[in-house]
Amino acid sequence: MARRDASDLAYRLGQQAEAVCRHYLSSGRREGRYWLVGDVRNTPGRSMYVRLKDSPKGPAGKWTDAATGEHGDLLDVIRESCGLIDFKDVADEARTFLSMPHPEAHASRKQAPAPHGSPEAARRLIRMSQPIMGTIVQAYLRERAITDLRGTGSLHFHPRCYYRPDEHSPTETWPAMIAAVTDLGGSITGAHRTWLDPRHREKAPLDTPRRAMGDLLGNAVRFGIGGEVMAAGEGIETVLSARQVLPDMPMMAALSAAHLAAILFPDTLRRLYILRDDDPAGDSARDTLVERANAVGIEAIVISPQLGDFNEDLSTLGIDAIRSQTRVQIGSQDVARFMAIAA
């Protein structure tokens, strides 16, 4: 049904292609049989062209971005220029533009749209993303001295992730690292976004370049399959920094000090290493987590950085320093089991 609806709406939009372009791609202009604009997100420029009339080369409304190779139809234009994710929202916007009646909702037959920030919205965002290898996410992590990316299937890349500073501001698009937050059973409950600056391979110059969505409490971004021994820390980069010298140890990133303190323990867990951040919030999370672990018979061992956190240690002091300091803080049996041998 959705595919048939999409084809019908795309055709109807194509019959009014120039009006659609004037409304959603207002930064461009008509030249001959095409509408020229910078990209599908309405950036000024001339690299994207939209066919305004049916021709032997294709129907009206089809577009191609010569700079990126992207292509699509006018439903894609509505989705990208309006910052929409769900097809229902795109279809509703298209029907509004076309002055078409909106179909009545039948709860028993139609899926309700995912509420903004919900676990379902998080799952859809992750499905829209791609692996990180060869992307700016890999380059960003490399800039932070994180080069061993084994077991990082929970991380994804989205080339144009929507960002709105607040409800009164226009939607922007930035590349982003998307991390899947999962529960103890492996089900995705949320997503964490880190928007990136493609020019400098660092966090994007935004007021809040990191945001989470979905259900986070008790859950985590997981690296490796949990067992009797695991490590847990706050940030993704902190945890990945520790994994540079402990690549075989399963780890969890709780995404904040408060969520680290509340992380849920797998039934198999017998020893938990706590990757402490050296600040008051990190101290509080450490104390709470140690108390909770000990109360259920889990051995809790704190590993402390020399500087503010483990990524700062890795980036500033180097991998040999973090290997040396970690070696003396973990159990000898775990050195042999989990620690990577220095090259």
Side-chain angles (χ1 to χ4, degrees), residues 244-294:
Q244 300 306 289
V245 296
L246 296 167
D248 297 320
M249 183 180 289
M251 296 192 183
M252 304 175 281
L255 303 176
S256 74
H259 287 103
L260 177 60
I263 204 164
L264 296 179
F265 306 132
D267 291 338
T268 57
L269 187 61
R270 298 294 176 264
R271 182 161 53 256
L272 176 66
Y273 289 104
I274 302 170
L275 306 172
R276 165 180 166 262
D277 278 12
D278 189 11
D279 55 33
D283 291 344
S284 177
R286 171 202 62 196
D287 295 343
T288 301
L289 200 51
V290 168
E291 182 178 350
R292 288 184 56 232
N294 290 339

Side-chain angles (χ1 to χ4, degrees), residues 144-145 237-238 241-242 276-278 303-326 329:
R144 303 189 69 154
E237 294 86 352
T238 290
S241 295
R276 165 180 166 262
D277 278 12
D278 189 11
I303 307 178
S304 298
Q306 293 186 45
L307 303 174
D309 59 44
F310 283 90
N311 188 246
E312 188 177 353
D313 281 7
L314 181 62
S315 300
T316 305
L317 305 177
I319 193 166
D320 290 338
I322 197 172
R323 180 181 289 110
S324 297
Q325 72 193 53
T326 302
Q329 295 186 76

Side-chain angles (χ1 to χ4, degrees), residues 5 49 51 176:
D5 287 347
Y49 51 95
R51 187 176 293 109

Side-chain angles (χ1 to χ4, degrees), residues 125-137:
L125 176 61
I126 291 167
R127 287 198 296 267
M128 293 170 64
S129 303
Q130 62 192 64
I132 66 172
M133 302 307 291
T135 72
I136 188 178
V137 173

Side-chain angles (χ1 to χ4, degrees), residues 4-48:
R4 189 161 62 247
D5 287 347
S7 297
D8 178 63
L9 286 171
Y11 173 79
R12 290 172 181 263
L13 291 167
Q15 300 310 296
Q16 301 185 40
E18 183 171 348
V20 174
C21 291
R22 290 190 182 279
H23 184 77
Y24 295 103
L25 299 176
S26 57
S27 296
R29 65 178 183 178
R30 177 171 183 166
E31 288 195 15
R33 299 173 62 87
Y34 295 95
W35 188 268
L36 301 185
V37 70
D39 59 32
V40 71
R41 291 161 295 282
N42 197 27
T43 302
R46 296 171 55 84
S47 64
M48 173 179 157

